[in-house]
Amino acid sequence: LRECLPDTGGEPSDSGAVSVAISAFLRTETKENRRVFVCRYFYHDSIRDIASRMGMREGAVKTCLSRTRARLRDYLEKEGIDV
């Protein structure tokens, strides 16, 4: 998730707590946002492949990912997880 979460250069947070928080966050997202996020950051699919599979434009996929990353950062901050 390096592309999604900022690298603070310090010690990483407990990976178990981060995993639980990301899972909880994804449950709050729409099915479409969740699928796009998982395809990109867990399966490492390209933007083009995700767009094709989901019937979206590449720009829409990029926007979806950008907004989801921003919401994830906010969520992790509210949960007190330092990433």
Side-chain angles (χ1 to χ4, degrees):
L1 290 174
R2 248 175 280 184
E3 293 176 26
C4 176
L5 302 173
D7 180 12
T8 59
E11 283 293 313
S13 295
D14 175 33
S15 62
V18 173
S19 296
V20 169
I22 291 172
S23 292
F25 165 76
L26 288 173
R27 284 191 293 275
T28 69
E29 290 292 298
T30 66
K31 184 176 181 177
E32 181 177 88
N33 288 350
R34 192 169 46 243
R35 286 181 63 200
V36 169
F37 186 90
V38 168
C39 284
R40 181 66 178 159
Y41 296 111
F42 289 90
Y43 296 119
H44 306 287
D45 292 346
S46 70
I47 300 293
R48 177 175 287 163
D49 288 344
I50 295 168
S52 175
R53 184 176 310 119
M54 305 235 359
M56 299 169 70
R57 293 184 338 240
E58 289 182 33
V61 172
K62 290 176 186 178
T63 300
C64 175
L65 289 168
S66 176
R67 291 177 180 168
T68 303
R69 286 192 308 267
R71 287 191 299 274
L72 176 57
R73 273 188 224 103
D74 290 344
Y75 180 86
L76 293 175
E77 286 175 6
K78 288 177 186 171
E79 293 296 310
I81 296 177
D82 183 32
V83 290

